[in-house]
Structures are given as structure tokens and as C-alpha cells.
Coordinates of all heavy atoms in Angstrom, one line a residue:
M1 N 105.6 96.1 -27.5 CA 106.9 96.7 -27.2 C 107.9 95.6 -26.7 O 109.0 95.5 -27.2 CB 106.8 97.8 -26.2 CG 108.1 98.4 -25.8 SD 108.8 99.3 -27.2 CE 110.0 100.2 -26.4
K2 N 107.4 94.8 -25.8 CA 108.2 93.7 -25.2 C 108.6 92.7 -26.3 O 109.7 92.2 -26.3 CB 107.4 93.0 -24.1 CG 108.2 92.1 -23.2 CD 107.3 91.6 -22.1 CE 108.0 91.0 -21.0 NZ 107.1 90.5 -19.9
Q3 N 107.6 92.3 -27.2 CA 107.9 91.4 -28.2 C 108.9 91.9 -29.2 O 109.8 91.2 -29.7 CB 106.6 91.0 -29.0 CG 105.7 90.2 -28.2 CD 104.4 89.9 -28.9 OE1 104.0 90.7 -29.8 NE2 103.7 88.9 -28.5
T4 N 108.9 93.2 -29.5 CA 109.8 93.9 -30.4 C 111.2 93.8 -29.8 O 112.2 93.5 -30.5 CB 109.4 95.3 -30.6 OG1 108.1 95.4 -31.1 CG2 110.4 96.0 -31.6
I5 N 111.4 94.0 -28.5 CA 112.7 94.0 -27.9 C 113.2 92.5 -27.9 O 114.4 92.3 -28.2 CB 112.6 94.5 -26.4 CG1 112.3 96.0 -26.5 CG2 113.9 94.2 -25.7 CD1 112.0 96.6 -25.1
L6 N 112.4 91.6 -27.6 CA 112.8 90.2 -27.6 C 113.2 89.7 -29.0 O 114.2 89.0 -29.2 CB 111.7 89.3 -27.1 CG 111.4 89.3 -25.6 CD1 110.2 88.5 -25.3 CD2 112.6 88.9 -24.8
F7 N 112.4 90.2 -30.0 CA 112.8 89.9 -31.4 C 114.1 90.5 -31.8 O 114.9 89.8 -32.4 CB 111.7 90.4 -32.4 CG 111.9 90.1 -33.8 CD1 111.8 88.8 -34.3 CD2 112.3 91.1 -34.7 CE1 112.1 88.5 -35.6 CE2 112.5 90.8 -36.0 CZ 112.4 89.5 -36.5
A8 N 114.3 91.7 -31.4 CA 115.6 92.4 -31.7 C 116.8 91.7 -31.0 O 117.8 91.5 -31.6 CB 115.5 93.8 -31.3
A9 N 116.5 91.2 -29.8 CA 117.6 90.5 -29.1 C 117.9 89.2 -29.8 O 119.1 88.8 -29.9 CB 117.2 90.3 -27.6
A10 N 116.9 88.5 -30.2 CA 117.1 87.2 -30.9 C 117.8 87.4 -32.2 O 118.7 86.6 -32.5 CB 115.7 86.5 -31.2
I11 N 117.5 88.5 -33.0 CA 118.2 88.8 -34.2 C 119.7 89.1 -33.9 O 120.6 88.6 -34.6 CB 117.6 90.0 -34.9 CG1 116.2 89.6 -35.4 CG2 118.5 90.4 -36.1 CD1 116.1 88.5 -36.5
A12 N 119.9 89.8 -32.8 CA 121.3 90.2 -32.5 C 122.1 89.0 -32.1 O 123.3 88.8 -32.5 CB 121.3 91.2 -31.3
L13 N 121.5 88.1 -31.3 CA 122.2 86.8 -30.9 C 122.5 86.0 -32.1 O 123.6 85.4 -32.2 CB 121.3 86.1 -29.9 CG 121.3 86.6 -28.5 CD1 120.3 85.8 -27.6 CD2 122.7 86.6 -27.9
A14 N 121.5 85.8 -33.0 CA 121.7 85.0 -34.2 C 122.8 85.6 -35.1 O 123.7 84.9 -35.6 CB 120.4 84.9 -35.0
T15 N 122.9 86.9 -35.2 CA 123.9 87.6 -36.0 C 125.3 87.4 -35.4 O 126.2 87.1 -36.1 CB 123.6 89.1 -36.2 OG1 122.3 89.2 -36.8 CG2 124.6 89.8 -37.0
T16 N 125.3 87.5 -34.1 CA 126.6 87.3 -33.4 C 127.1 85.9 -33.5 O 128.2 85.6 -33.8 CB 126.4 87.7 -31.9 OG1 126.0 89.0 -31.8 CG2 127.7 87.5 -31.1
A17 N 126.2 84.9 -33.4 CA 126.5 83.5 -33.5 C 127.0 83.2 -34.9 O 128.0 82.5 -35.1 CB 125.3 82.6 -33.2
H18 N 126.4 83.8 -35.9 CA 126.8 83.6 -37.3 C 128.2 84.2 -37.5 O 129.0 83.6 -38.2 CB 125.8 84.2 -38.3 CG 126.2 84.0 -39.7 ND1 126.2 82.8 -40.4 CD2 126.7 85.0 -40.6 CE1 126.6 83.0 -41.6 NE2 126.9 84.3 -41.8
A19 N 128.4 85.4 -37.0 CA 129.7 86.0 -37.2 C 130.8 85.2 -36.5 O 131.9 85.0 -37.0 CB 129.7 87.4 -36.6
Q20 N 130.5 84.7 -35.3 CA 131.5 83.8 -34.6 C 131.8 82.6 -35.3 O 132.9 82.1 -35.4 CB 131.0 83.5 -33.2 CG 131.0 84.7 -32.2 CD 130.4 84.4 -30.9 OE1 129.6 83.5 -30.8 NE2 130.7 85.2 -29.9
D21 N 130.7 81.9 -35.9 CA 130.9 80.7 -36.7 C 131.7 81.0 -37.9 O 132.6 80.2 -38.3 CB 129.5 80.2 -37.1 CG 129.7 78.8 -37.8 OD1 130.2 77.9 -37.2 OD2 129.2 78.8 -39.0
S22 N 131.5 82.1 -38.6 CA 132.2 82.5 -39.8 C 133.7 82.7 -39.4 O 134.6 82.3 -40.2 CB 131.7 83.7 -40.4 OG 130.4 83.5 -41.0
A23 N 134.0 83.4 -38.3 CA 135.3 83.7 -37.9 C 136.1 82.4 -37.6 O 137.2 82.2 -38.0 CB 135.4 84.6 -36.7
A24 N 135.4 81.4 -36.9 CA 136.0 80.1 -36.6 C 136.3 79.4 -37.8 O 137.3 78.7 -38.0 CB 135.1 79.4 -35.6
R25 N 135.3 79.4 -38.8 CA 135.5 78.7 -40.0 C 136.7 79.3 -40.8 O 137.5 78.5 -41.4 CB 134.2 78.7 -40.9 CG 134.3 77.9 -42.2 CD 133.1 78.0 -43.0 NE 133.0 79.4 -43.6 CZ 132.0 80.2 -43.4 NH1 130.9 79.8 -42.8 NH2 132.0 81.4 -43.9
N26 N 136.8 80.6 -40.8 CA 137.9 81.2 -41.5 C 139.3 80.8 -40.8 O 140.2 80.6 -41.6 CB 137.8 82.7 -41.5 CG 136.7 83.2 -42.4 OD1 136.2 82.4 -43.3 ND2 136.2 84.4 -42.2
M27 N 139.3 80.8 -39.5 CA 140.6 80.4 -38.8 C 140.9 78.9 -39.1 O 142.0 78.6 -39.3 CB 140.4 80.6 -37.3 CG 140.5 82.0 -36.9 SD 140.5 82.2 -35.1 CE 138.8 82.0 -34.7
A28 N 139.9 78.1 -39.2 CA 140.1 76.7 -39.5 C 140.4 76.4 -40.9 O 141.0 75.3 -41.2 CB 138.8 75.9 -39.1
S29 N 140.2 77.3 -41.8 CA 140.5 77.1 -43.2 C 141.9 76.8 -43.5 O 142.3 76.0 -44.4 CB 140.0 78.3 -44.1 OG 140.8 79.4 -43.8
G30 N 142.8 77.3 -42.7 CA 144.2 77.0 -42.8 C 144.6 75.5 -42.5 O 145.6 75.0 -43.0
C31 N 143.7 74.9 -41.8 CA 143.9 73.5 -41.5 C 143.6 72.5 -42.6 O 143.9 71.4 -42.6 CB 143.1 73.1 -40.2 SG 143.3 74.3 -38.8
A32 N 142.8 73.0 -43.6 CA 142.2 72.2 -44.6 C 143.3 71.5 -45.5 O 143.1 70.4 -46.0 CB 141.3 73.0 -45.5
I33 N 144.5 72.2 -45.6 CA 145.5 71.6 -46.5 C 146.0 70.2 -46.0 O 146.2 69.4 -46.8 CB 146.7 72.6 -46.7 CG1 147.5 72.1 -47.8 CG2 147.5 72.7 -45.4 CD1 148.4 73.2 -48.4
C34 N 145.9 70.0 -44.7 CA 146.3 68.7 -44.2 C 145.1 67.9 -43.7 O 145.1 66.7 -43.9 CB 147.3 68.9 -43.0 SG 148.9 69.6 -43.5
H35 N 144.2 68.6 -43.0 CA 143.1 67.9 -42.4 C 141.9 67.8 -43.2 O 140.9 67.2 -42.8 CB 142.7 68.5 -41.0 CG 143.8 68.4 -40.0 ND1 143.9 67.2 -39.3 CD2 144.8 69.2 -39.6 CE1 145.0 67.4 -38.5 NE2 145.5 68.5 -38.7
G36 N 141.9 68.3 -44.4 CA 140.8 68.2 -45.4 C 139.7 69.3 -45.1 O 139.6 69.8 -44.1
T37 N 139.0 69.5 -46.2 CA 137.9 70.4 -46.1 C 136.9 70.0 -45.0 O 136.5 68.9 -44.9 CB 137.1 70.5 -47.4 OG1 138.1 70.9 -48.4 CG2 136.0 71.6 -47.4
D38 N 136.5 70.9 -44.2 CA 135.6 70.7 -43.0 C 136.1 69.6 -42.1 O 135.4 69.0 -41.4 CB 134.2 70.3 -43.5 CG 133.6 71.4 -44.3 OD1 133.9 72.6 -44.0 OD2 132.7 71.2 -45.2
G39 N 137.4 69.3 -42.1 CA 138.0 68.4 -41.1 C 137.9 67.0 -41.4 O 138.2 66.1 -40.6
R40 N 137.6 66.6 -42.6 CA 137.4 65.2 -43.0 C 138.7 64.9 -43.8 O 138.7 64.9 -45.1 CB 136.1 65.0 -43.8 CG 134.9 65.2 -42.9 CD 133.6 64.8 -43.6 NE 133.2 65.8 -44.6 CZ 132.6 67.0 -44.3 NH1 132.4 67.3 -43.0 NH2 132.2 67.8 -45.2
A41 N 139.7 64.5 -43.1 CA 141.0 64.1 -43.8 C 140.8 63.0 -44.8 O 140.0 62.1 -44.6 CB 142.0 63.7 -42.7
V42 N 141.6 63.0 -45.8 CA 141.5 62.0 -46.8 C 142.6 60.9 -46.8 O 142.5 60.0 -47.6 CB 141.5 62.7 -48.2 CG1 140.2 63.5 -48.4 CG2 142.7 63.5 -48.5
T43 N 143.5 61.0 -45.9 CA 144.6 60.0 -45.8 C 144.6 59.5 -44.3 O 144.2 60.2 -43.4 CB 146.0 60.6 -46.1 OG1 146.4 61.5 -45.1 CG2 146.0 61.2 -47.5
K44 N 145.2 58.3 -44.2 CA 145.3 57.7 -42.8 C 146.4 58.5 -42.0 O 146.4 58.3 -40.8 CB 145.7 56.3 -43.0 CG 144.6 55.4 -43.5 CD 145.1 54.0 -43.6 CE 144.1 53.1 -44.3 NZ 144.6 51.7 -44.4
D45 N 147.3 59.2 -42.7 CA 148.4 59.9 -42.0 C 148.0 61.1 -41.2 O 148.7 61.6 -40.4 CB 149.4 60.3 -43.0 CG 150.0 59.1 -43.7 OD1 150.1 58.0 -43.1 OD2 150.4 59.2 -44.9
V46 N 146.8 61.6 -41.5 CA 146.3 62.8 -40.8 C 145.0 62.6 -40.1 O 144.1 61.9 -40.7 CB 146.1 64.0 -41.9 CG1 145.6 65.2 -41.2 CG2 147.4 64.2 -42.6
V47 N 144.9 63.1 -38.9 CA 143.7 62.8 -38.1 C 142.5 63.7 -38.6 O 142.7 64.9 -38.8 CB 144.0 63.3 -36.6 CG1 142.7 63.2 -35.8 CG2 145.1 62.4 -36.0
P48 N 141.4 63.0 -38.9 CA 140.2 63.8 -39.3 C 139.7 64.5 -38.0 O 139.6 63.9 -37.0 CB 139.2 62.8 -39.8 CG 139.7 61.5 -39.3 CD 141.1 61.6 -39.0
L49 N 139.4 65.8 -38.1 CA 139.0 66.6 -36.9 C 137.5 66.7 -36.8 O 137.0 66.9 -35.7 CB 139.6 68.0 -37.0 CG 141.1 68.0 -37.0 CD1 141.6 69.5 -37.2 CD2 141.7 67.4 -35.8
A50 N 136.8 66.5 -37.9 CA 135.3 66.7 -37.9 C 134.7 65.7 -36.9 O 135.0 64.5 -36.9 CB 134.8 66.4 -39.3
G51 N 133.9 66.3 -36.0 CA 133.1 65.5 -35.1 C 133.8 65.1 -33.8 O 133.2 64.4 -33.0
L52 N 135.1 65.4 -33.7 CA 135.8 65.1 -32.5 C 135.4 66.0 -31.4 O 135.0 67.1 -31.7 CB 137.3 65.2 -32.7 CG 138.1 64.2 -33.5 CD1 139.5 64.6 -33.6 CD2 137.9 62.8 -33.0
P53 N 135.4 65.6 -30.1 CA 135.0 66.5 -29.0 C 135.9 67.7 -29.0 O 137.1 67.7 -29.2 CB 135.3 65.6 -27.8 CG 135.2 64.2 -28.2 CD 135.8 64.2 -29.7
A54 N 135.3 68.9 -28.8 CA 136.0 70.1 -28.8 C 137.1 70.2 -27.8 O 138.2 70.7 -28.1 CB 135.0 71.3 -28.6
Q55 N 136.9 69.6 -26.6 CA 137.9 69.6 -25.6 C 139.1 68.8 -26.0 O 140.3 69.2 -25.7 CB 137.3 69.0 -24.3 CG 136.4 69.9 -23.5 CD 137.1 71.0 -22.9 OE1 137.6 71.9 -23.6 NE2 137.2 71.0 -21.6
H56 N 138.9 67.7 -26.7 CA 140.1 66.9 -27.2 C 140.9 67.7 -28.2 O 142.1 67.8 -28.1 CB 139.6 65.6 -27.8 CG 140.7 64.8 -28.4 ND1 141.6 64.2 -27.6 CD2 141.0 64.6 -29.7 CE1 142.5 63.5 -28.4 NE2 142.1 63.8 -29.7
I57 N 140.2 68.3 -29.2 CA 140.9 69.1 -30.2 C 141.7 70.3 -29.5 O 142.9 70.5 -29.8 CB 139.9 69.7 -31.3 CG1 139.3 68.5 -32.0 CG2 140.6 70.6 -32.2 CD1 138.1 69.0 -32.9
A58 N 141.0 71.0 -28.6 CA 141.7 72.1 -28.0 C 142.9 71.7 -27.2 O 143.9 72.3 -27.2 CB 140.6 72.9 -27.1
S59 N 142.7 70.6 -26.4 CA 143.9 70.2 -25.6 C 145.0 69.7 -26.5 O 146.2 70.0 -26.1 CB 143.4 69.0 -24.6 OG 143.2 67.8 -25.3
Q60 N 144.8 69.1 -27.6 CA 145.9 68.7 -28.5 C 146.5 69.9 -29.1 O 147.8 69.9 -29.2 CB 145.3 67.7 -29.5 CG 144.8 66.4 -29.0 CD 145.8 65.7 -28.1 OE1 147.0 65.4 -28.5 NE2 145.5 65.4 -26.9
M61 N 145.8 70.9 -29.5 CA 146.4 72.1 -30.1 C 147.2 72.8 -29.1 O 148.3 73.3 -29.4 CB 145.3 73.0 -30.7 CG 144.8 72.5 -32.0 SD 143.7 73.7 -32.8 CE 144.9 75.1 -33.2
R62 N 146.7 72.9 -27.8 CA 147.5 73.5 -26.8 C 148.8 72.7 -26.5 O 149.9 73.3 -26.3 CB 146.7 73.7 -25.5 CG 145.7 74.8 -25.6 CD 144.9 75.0 -24.3 NE 144.0 76.1 -24.5 CZ 142.7 75.9 -24.9 NH1 142.2 74.7 -25.0 NH2 141.9 77.0 -25.0
A63 N 148.7 71.4 -26.5 CA 149.9 70.6 -26.3 C 150.9 70.8 -27.4 O 152.1 70.9 -27.2 CB 149.5 69.1 -26.2
F64 N 150.5 70.9 -28.7 CA 151.4 71.2 -29.8 C 152.0 72.6 -29.5 O 153.2 72.8 -29.6 CB 150.7 71.3 -31.1 CG 150.3 69.9 -31.7 CD1 149.0 69.6 -32.1 CD2 151.3 68.9 -31.9 CE1 148.7 68.4 -32.6 CE2 151.0 67.7 -32.4 CZ 149.7 67.4 -32.8
R65 N 151.2 73.6 -29.3 CA 151.6 75.0 -29.1 C 152.6 75.1 -28.0 O 153.6 75.8 -28.1 CB 150.4 75.9 -28.8 CG 150.8 77.3 -28.7 CD 149.6 78.2 -28.2 NE 149.3 77.8 -26.8 CZ 148.2 78.2 -26.1 NH1 147.3 78.9 -26.7 NH2 148.0 77.8 -24.9
D66 N 152.4 74.4 -26.9 CA 153.2 74.5 -25.7 C 154.4 73.6 -25.7 O 155.1 73.5 -24.7 CB 152.3 74.3 -24.4 CG 151.2 75.3 -24.3 OD1 151.3 76.4 -25.0 OD2 150.2 75.1 -23.6
G67 N 154.6 72.8 -26.8 CA 155.7 71.9 -26.9 C 155.6 70.6 -26.1 O 156.6 69.9 -25.9
Q68 N 154.4 70.3 -25.6 CA 154.2 69.1 -24.9 C 153.9 67.9 -25.7 O 153.9 66.8 -25.3 CB 153.0 69.3 -23.9 CG 153.3 70.4 -22.9 CD 152.0 70.7 -22.1 OE1 150.9 70.4 -22.4 NE2 152.2 71.5 -21.0
R69 N 153.6 68.1 -27.0 CA 153.4 67.0 -28.0 C 154.3 67.2 -29.2 O 154.3 68.3 -29.8 CB 151.9 67.0 -28.4 CG 151.6 65.9 -29.3 CD 150.1 65.7 -29.6 NE 150.0 64.7 -30.6 CZ 148.9 64.4 -31.2 NH1 147.8 65.0 -30.9 NH2 148.8 63.4 -32.1
P70 N 155.1 66.2 -29.5 CA 156.0 66.4 -30.7 C 155.2 66.5 -32.0 O 154.1 65.9 -32.1 CB 156.8 65.1 -30.6 CG 156.1 64.2 -29.7 CD 155.2 64.9 -28.9
A71 N 155.8 67.2 -32.9 CA 155.1 67.3 -34.2 C 156.1 67.7 -35.3 O 157.2 68.1 -34.9 CB 154.0 68.4 -34.1
T72 N 155.7 67.6 -36.5 CA 156.5 68.1 -37.6 C 156.3 69.6 -37.8 O 157.2 70.4 -37.8 CB 156.3 67.3 -38.9 OG1 154.9 67.3 -39.2 CG2 156.8 65.9 -38.7
V73 N 155.0 70.0 -38.0 CA 154.7 71.4 -38.3 C 153.6 71.9 -37.3 O 153.5 73.1 -37.2 CB 154.2 71.6 -39.7 CG1 155.3 71.3 -40.7 CG2 153.0 70.8 -40.0
M74 N 152.8 71.0 -36.7 CA 151.7 71.5 -35.8 C 152.2 72.4 -34.7 O 151.5 73.4 -34.3 CB 150.9 70.4 -35.3 CG 149.8 69.9 -36.2 SD 148.7 71.1 -36.8 CE 147.9 71.7 -35.2
H75 N 153.4 72.2 -34.2 CA 153.8 73.0 -33.1 C 154.0 74.5 -33.6 O 153.8 75.4 -32.8 CB 155.1 72.5 -32.4 CG 156.2 72.4 -33.3 ND1 156.3 71.5 -34.4 CD2 157.4 73.1 -33.4 CE1 157.5 71.7 -35.0 NE2 158.1 72.6 -34.4
Q76 N 154.4 74.6 -34.8 CA 154.6 76.0 -35.3 C 153.3 76.6 -35.7 O 153.1 77.8 -35.4 CB 155.5 75.9 -36.6 CG 156.9 75.6 -36.3 CD 157.7 76.6 -35.4 OE1 157.3 77.8 -35.4 NE2 158.7 76.2 -34.7
I77 N 152.4 75.8 -36.2 CA 151.1 76.4 -36.6 C 150.3 76.8 -35.4 O 149.7 77.9 -35.3 CB 150.3 75.3 -37.4 CG1 151.0 75.1 -38.8 CG2 148.9 75.8 -37.6 CD1 150.5 73.9 -39.6
A78 N 150.3 75.9 -34.4 CA 149.5 76.2 -33.2 C 150.0 77.4 -32.4 O 149.2 78.0 -31.7 CB 149.5 74.9 -32.3
K79 N 151.3 77.7 -32.5 CA 151.8 78.9 -31.8 C 151.1 80.2 -32.3 O 151.1 81.2 -31.6 CB 153.3 79.0 -32.0 CG 154.1 78.1 -31.2 CD 155.6 78.2 -31.4 CE 156.3 77.2 -30.6 NZ 157.8 77.3 -30.8
G80 N 150.5 80.2 -33.4 CA 149.8 81.4 -34.0 C 148.4 81.6 -33.4 O 147.8 82.6 -33.8
Y81 N 148.0 80.7 -32.5 CA 146.6 80.9 -32.0 C 146.6 81.1 -30.5 O 147.3 80.5 -29.8 CB 145.8 79.6 -32.3 CG 145.6 79.3 -33.8 CD1 146.3 78.4 -34.5 CD2 144.7 80.1 -34.5 CE1 146.1 78.1 -35.8 CE2 144.5 79.9 -35.9 CZ 145.2 78.9 -36.5 OH 145.0 78.7 -37.9
S82 N 145.6 82.0 -30.1 CA 145.4 82.3 -28.7 C 144.5 81.2 -28.2 O 143.9 80.4 -29.0 CB 144.7 83.6 -28.5 OG 143.4 83.6 -29.1
D83 N 144.3 81.1 -26.9 CA 143.4 80.1 -26.3 C 142.0 80.3 -26.8 O 141.3 79.3 -27.1 CB 143.4 80.3 -24.8 CG 144.6 79.6 -24.1 OD1 145.2 78.7 -24.7 OD2 145.0 80.0 -23.0
A84 N 141.5 81.5 -26.9 CA 140.2 81.8 -27.4 C 140.0 81.3 -28.9 O 139.0 80.7 -29.3 CB 139.8 83.3 -27.3
Q85 N 141.0 81.5 -29.7 CA 141.0 81.1 -31.1 C 141.0 79.6 -31.2 O 140.3 79.0 -32.0 CB 142.2 81.7 -31.9 CG 142.0 83.2 -32.1 CD 143.3 83.8 -32.7 OE1 144.4 83.4 -32.3 NE2 143.1 84.7 -33.6
I86 N 141.8 78.9 -30.3 CA 141.9 77.5 -30.3 C 140.5 76.9 -29.9 O 140.0 76.0 -30.5 CB 143.0 77.0 -29.3 CG1 144.3 77.2 -30.0 CG2 142.8 75.5 -29.0 CD1 145.5 76.9 -29.0
D87 N 139.9 77.5 -28.9 CA 138.6 77.1 -28.5 C 137.5 77.2 -29.6 O 136.7 76.4 -29.8 CB 138.1 77.8 -27.2 CG 138.9 77.4 -26.0 OD1 139.5 76.3 -26.0 OD2 138.9 78.2 -25.0
A88 N 137.6 78.3 -30.3 CA 136.6 78.6 -31.4 C 136.8 77.6 -32.5 O 135.9 77.0 -33.1 CB 136.8 80.0 -31.9
I89 N 138.1 77.3 -32.9 CA 138.3 76.4 -34.0 C 137.9 75.0 -33.5 O 137.2 74.2 -34.3 CB 139.9 76.4 -34.3 CG1 140.2 77.7 -35.0 CG2 140.2 75.2 -35.2 CD1 141.7 77.9 -35.1
A90 N 138.2 74.6 -32.3 CA 137.8 73.3 -31.8 C 136.3 73.1 -31.8 O 135.8 72.1 -32.2 CB 138.4 73.1 -30.4
A91 N 135.6 74.2 -31.4 CA 134.1 74.1 -31.3 C 133.6 74.0 -32.7 O 132.6 73.2 -33.0 CB 133.6 75.3 -30.6
W92 N 134.2 74.6 -33.7 CA 133.7 74.6 -35.1 C 133.9 73.2 -35.6 O 133.0 72.6 -36.2 CB 134.4 75.6 -35.9 CG 133.8 75.7 -37.3 CD1 132.7 76.3 -37.7 CD2 134.3 75.0 -38.5 NE1 132.5 76.1 -39.1 CE2 133.5 75.3 -39.5 CE3 135.4 74.1 -38.7 CZ2 133.7 74.8 -40.8 CZ3 135.6 73.7 -40.0 CH2 134.8 74.0 -41.0
Y93 N 135.1 72.6 -35.4 CA 135.3 71.2 -35.9 C 134.4 70.2 -35.2 O 134.0 69.2 -35.8 CB 136.8 70.8 -35.7 CG 137.6 71.3 -36.9 CD1 138.7 72.1 -36.6 CD2 137.4 70.9 -38.2 CE1 139.5 72.5 -37.7 CE2 138.2 71.3 -39.2 CZ 139.3 72.1 -39.0 OH 140.0 72.5 -40.0
A94 N 134.1 70.4 -33.9 CA 133.3 69.5 -33.2 C 131.9 69.3 -33.8 O 131.3 68.2 -33.7 CB 133.3 69.9 -31.7
V95 N 131.4 70.3 -34.3 CA 130.0 70.2 -34.9 C 129.9 69.9 -36.3 O 128.9 69.7 -36.9 CB 129.2 71.5 -34.6 CG1 129.1 71.8 -33.1 CG2 129.8 72.7 -35.4
Q96 N 131.1 69.7 -37.0 CA 131.1 69.2 -38.3 C 130.8 67.7 -38.4 O 131.3 66.9 -37.6 CB 132.5 69.5 -39.0 CG 132.9 70.9 -39.0 CD 131.8 71.9 -39.6 OE1 131.3 71.7 -40.7 NE2 131.4 72.9 -38.8
P97 N 130.0 67.3 -39.4 CA 129.7 65.9 -39.5 C 130.9 65.1 -39.9 O 131.8 65.6 -40.7 CB 128.6 65.8 -40.6 CG 128.7 67.2 -41.3 CD 129.3 68.1 -40.4
R98 N 131.0 63.9 -39.4 CA 132.2 63.1 -39.7 C 132.2 62.6 -41.1 O 131.7 62.3 -42.0 CB 132.2 61.9 -38.8 CG 132.5 62.4 -37.4 CD 132.9 61.3 -36.5 NE 134.3 61.7 -36.1 CZ 135.2 61.0 -35.5 NH1 134.9 59.8 -35.2 NH2 136.3 61.4 -35.2

């Protein structure tokens, strides 16, 4: 009985983690047009996000959103995300290979 409950809990956690990862990947897909698929930008003009520390990505997105960092379009894009969404996107990019 105890093993069954632990197994069910492990499945639930794995399912939740997969759903969160999928949601973060879906939110980050809008970034691909400039930052490249999976955050590996193809030009020198755009920062590649893959593998950067999540805290750095999140702080930069918040700076764009809050008008503390100048931008051409990022300030408008970042305004569409909540703190939780920014954290999820940043975490997803942080684990992508460079």
C-alpha cells in the first residue's frame, strides 16, 4: 500500500513537472523569432538566452517590463508577462544547452 501511494505521488509530480515545462516552453516560443529556437540566437545583435542563469534572465525581463532598461520592443513584450511567467520562462531557458 505504501509503495503504491509513493508511486502515485511520483507519477503526479512527474506529470506536474512536465506540464509546467510545456507551459514554460509554450510561453518562450514567442521569443524564438528574435532569440532563436531554444534560445540560441543566430546573430550577434540578439542575446542568446540558452544556458544563462535564470535569475539574470528574470531580472532583465523585469527591468524591460518596468521601464528600467531601454529597449526597442522588449519593454512591450515583457509587459505581457507576470512575475510567475517570467520566472518560468527564465527557468526554462536556463536549462537549455548553449
Side-chain angles (χ1 to χ4, degrees):
M1 178 71 166
K2 193 177 198 181
Q3 290 175 337
T4 303
I5 292 171
L6 289 174
F7 181 72
I11 295 293
L13 285 174
T15 302
T16 301
H18 178 70
Q20 289 172 338
D21 184 60
S22 293
R25 184 183 68 235
N26 288 342
M27 285 185 281
S29 68
C31 310
I33 194 160
C34 296
H35 291 279
T37 304
D38 296 330
R40 292 185 286 281
V42 294
T43 69
K44 292 180 186 179
D45 299 326
V46 178
V47 174
L49 300 175
L52 289 178
Q55 285 290 69
H56 176 71
I57 296 169
S59 70
Q60 295 306 304
M61 281 190 69
R62 286 184 179 93
F64 284 128
R65 181 190 66 192
D66 300 340
Q68 297 169 347
R69 182 172 174 187
T72 53
V73 297
M74 274 304 299
H75 63 290
Q76 292 296 336
I77 294 168
K79 284 181 183 178
Y81 294 105
S82 68
D83 282 336
Q85 290 172 321
I86 287 172
D87 290 339
I89 292 167
W92 186 81
Y93 275 121
V95 299
Q96 301 308 306
R98 292 197 117 190

